[in-house]
Amino acid sequence: MPQSKSAGGRVSRRTLLKATGVAGLAASAGVLANQIYSPAVAGPAPKVRLAWTEVAACHSPLGFGVAKGFYAKHDLDVELFYQGASGQTLIQALATGKADVGAGLIGDWLKPLEQGFDVKLFVGSHGGCQRLLASKASGVTDIAGVKGKTIASYDVVSPPKVAFQVTLAKAGLDPENDVTWKVVPFDLVGEAVKRGDADIAAHLDPWAYSIEKKFDLVKIADTQTGVYEGHTCCVLGANGPFLKANKDALRRLAQANIEVHDYVADHPDELAKWYLDALKPAGLTLAELTEILGSFVLHNHPIGPPLVDQIRKTSEDLKLVKVLDPSTDPKAFAERVTVNLLA
């Protein structure tokens, strides 16, 4: 999504907020957080094991935050735990006690939480990081043109598949019967479109960005605009026992999470340099990483009542595509699976 640039080529905070329509949400989160959180206290820093997906572009602020001392500033000893590349492995990391807190897509959290998984969501991180990309040979240039086409993704319930099923449903299409979904290996989603085995790719960044450029694909939807305007994509959740024993530490973790995402939103070049040096993502240059990270909606990090509202919206979307049970009340569910650290 094109963004206006501030001096020095960086994406400005004001531009991001205007572009996504979440200025009020982000501002309220920051103001409320500053009112409620206390400064770092003396004494041993509490240990927090934070599960993340290290190669996911949208998780890079977490690693950057640890490396640059954002969490230590709030008297926290954060240890990153690589949980794998799926929502299932995130849930396993928390369920088996390998991590205390995890960062994940809302769409990955909600079904396990509906089934009683003992985790509470407590702060958002950013807006969307998924793309729906069509080959030029397919002739598809918008969502209406997707009808009758084949879409490649990497799992039968991959987050991009679920996300864009919502997009299709809200455009009046049947997300199961009006299109054909094709499961291919994670690294071959773009190749499937190139070979003509599929017309469209549904993928996550940075891989979605890479195949868009590599195969000259046309972006017809993403999870930042359209039906996802102003929606939060990823949130942090804490397992129940850790929350009960460490609520103050979680308040400070939430504050640090907000601060690091605000910082990298205004300094995507610094984040990209750290990402390139520390994680060495294959096939991506510093300029490309800066472009990817600079396009993210990194000021969209609701906490308290705004987070409940975001979970309610996503719950309604997941009911629409039959991921959540028909009997689930989105508002009551959102209130049950979140914790208000501002209370």
Side-chain angles (χ1 to χ4, degrees), residues 8 53 61 80 122 129-130 141 147 161 172 178 200 210 227 237 249 287 297-298 309 325 328 330:
T53 299
L80 294 171
F122 62 95
C129 51
Q130 299 165 74
T141 58
K147 187 173 182 178
K161 176 182 177 180
D178 282 343
I200 299 163
S210 295
V227 301
V297 188
L298 294 169
D309 191 53
D325 292 341
T328 295

Side-chain angles (χ1 to χ4, degrees), residues 18 49 66 92 122 133 137 169 200 244:
K18 285 183 177 179
R49 296 169 302 165
V66 172
Q92 290 168 3
F122 62 95
L133 306 164
I200 299 163
K244 291 175 184 176

Side-chain angles (χ1 to χ4, degrees), residues 40 45-46 48 50 59 61-80 125 236 252-261:
V48 182
L50 174 59
H59 282 202
L62 303 175
F64 180 87
V66 172
K68 302 300 181 180
F70 281 83
Y71 298 102
K73 169 187 167 185
H74 291 275
D75 192 40
L76 294 169
D77 177 10
V78 172
E79 175 186 304
L80 294 171
S125 293
L236 299 188
R252 286 182 274 126
L253 183 68
Q255 183 185 26
N257 191 67
I258 290 171
E259 287 186 4
V260 70
H261 281 82

